[in-house]
Amino acid sequence: MPASTPARLLRILEQTYPDARCALDYRNPLELLVATMLSAQCTDERVNMVTPALFARYPDAASYAEAEPAELEDLIHSCGFYRQKAKSIRACCRRLAEEFGGEVPAEMEHLVTLPGVGRKTANVVLNEVFGQPAIAVDTHVLRTGNRLGWISTRDPVKAEFQLLDAVPKKWWGRVTLLLIHHGRNCCSARKPLCADCPILKGCPHGQEALSGG
DNA sequence: ATCCCGAGGG
DNA sequence: CCCTCTGGAT
């Protein structure tokens, strides 16, 4: 039994980042789904700046489905990738309206069939609004998970399943946000602050970085 | 310049 | 597997 199991390190991260939570503003599953689609390559803060007007203009899936593309693009422009995102949101909501009664499905198998929705977005929605313990793998989770040795792959889907294996189920709902915060604040891509890392003792990459040079 | 809680297409 | 899509902040 190694001294620094994922559970032990996650407990430390929980103490270090006690308020790590989803930073996107939303009031229902559809709003979270749309906000998460907008958040690709964009800060949550920026997403939260556009969503009040967006959610007011399009209160349900049918509204997005009938949206004028140019108007929708305009409302989300500052989030980047605005043509792609507008197209995805519209196509996604069209399917929601036509095949799911306008509701966001609570199953992974259905979510990932929606245009513009991959496993990362689906897992965020499942975890946040449907109370399913799910792990959403983004760039931070991928990087930090590999450095910690909890996973060993650059493929996000493989990483998700390796994490489900390495992390006790109790932590599935928390590991994503904790690793994202840790990745942002400490375990950055370029110059990780290993000397100040709260879980350095359990990190092979950090140990090597500090000793090996 | 480089990064930000990705997904789809070739 | 690599490329593209995009604006804003630092």
Side-chain angles (χ1 to χ4, degrees):
Chain A
M1 187 71 135
S4 300
T5 61
R8 286 170 194 261
L9 301 183
L10 285 165
R11 223 173 293 140
I12 296 172
L13 290 181
E14 186 72 78
Q15 292 166 12
T16 310
Y17 315 109
D19 50 359
R21 55 173 183 86
C22 177
L24 296 170
D25 296 334
Y26 65 93
R27 293 165 298 184
N28 54 53
L30 180 64
E31 289 189 354
L32 177 63
L33 178 62
V34 171
T36 306
M37 293 172 81
L38 288 176
S39 74
Q41 298 299 303
C42 173
T43 62
D44 290 355
E45 198 176 51
R46 170 64 51 186
V47 174
N48 290 337
M49 290 183 204
V50 311
T51 46
L54 185 71
F55 295 162
R57 179 67 184 84
Y58 309 110
D60 50 35
S63 311
Y64 287 108
E66 299 160 8
E68 198 65 41
E71 188 183 1
L72 178 53
E73 288 175 7
D74 225 45
L75 282 166
I76 67 173
H77 182 275
S78 69
C79 293
F81 291 164
Y82 62 93
R83 287 190 205 92
Q84 301 275 91
K85 288 175 180 175
K87 192 184 296 180
S88 292
I89 290 168
R90 220 163 64 99
C92 175
C93 287
R94 205 177 302 143
R95 286 264 329 271
L96 288 181
E98 290 172 359
E99 295 182 35
F100 294 95
E103 300 292 314
V104 178
E107 301 84 25
M108 170 63 75
E109 47 179 317
H110 289 135
L111 285 168
V112 293
T113 67
L114 299 169
V117 179
R119 291 191 69 91
K120 189 265 169 180
T121 299
N123 277 319
V124 168
V125 171
L126 287 173
N127 197 35
E128 278 291 320
V129 297
F130 294 123
Q132 281 186 44
I135 300 179
V137 175
D138 76 328
T139 172
H140 295 295
V141 173
L142 200 56
R143 182 181 67 254
T144 57
N146 275 297
R147 284 176 175 170
L148 284 164
W150 298 356
I151 59 179
S152 178
T153 177
R154 282 190 299 173
D155 174 19
V157 179
K158 287 179 185 165
E160 181 188 331
F161 288 106
Q162 290 182 9
L163 279 173
L164 290 171
D165 219 43
V167 173
K169 186 168 187 178
K170 167 189 177 184
W171 287 98
W172 286 0
R174 287 297 290 156
V175 62
T176 296
L177 276 312
L178 290 174
L179 287 185
I180 287 171
H181 275 251
H182 183 56
R184 276 216 282 253
N185 298 324
C186 177
C187 194
S188 51
R190 290 285 168 141
K191 283 171 49 184
L193 308 174
C194 296
D196 301 320
C197 179
I199 54 173
L200 172 65
K201 68 177 180 353
C203 180
H205 182 272
Q207 298 290 348
E208 189 177 347
L210 283 194
S211 61

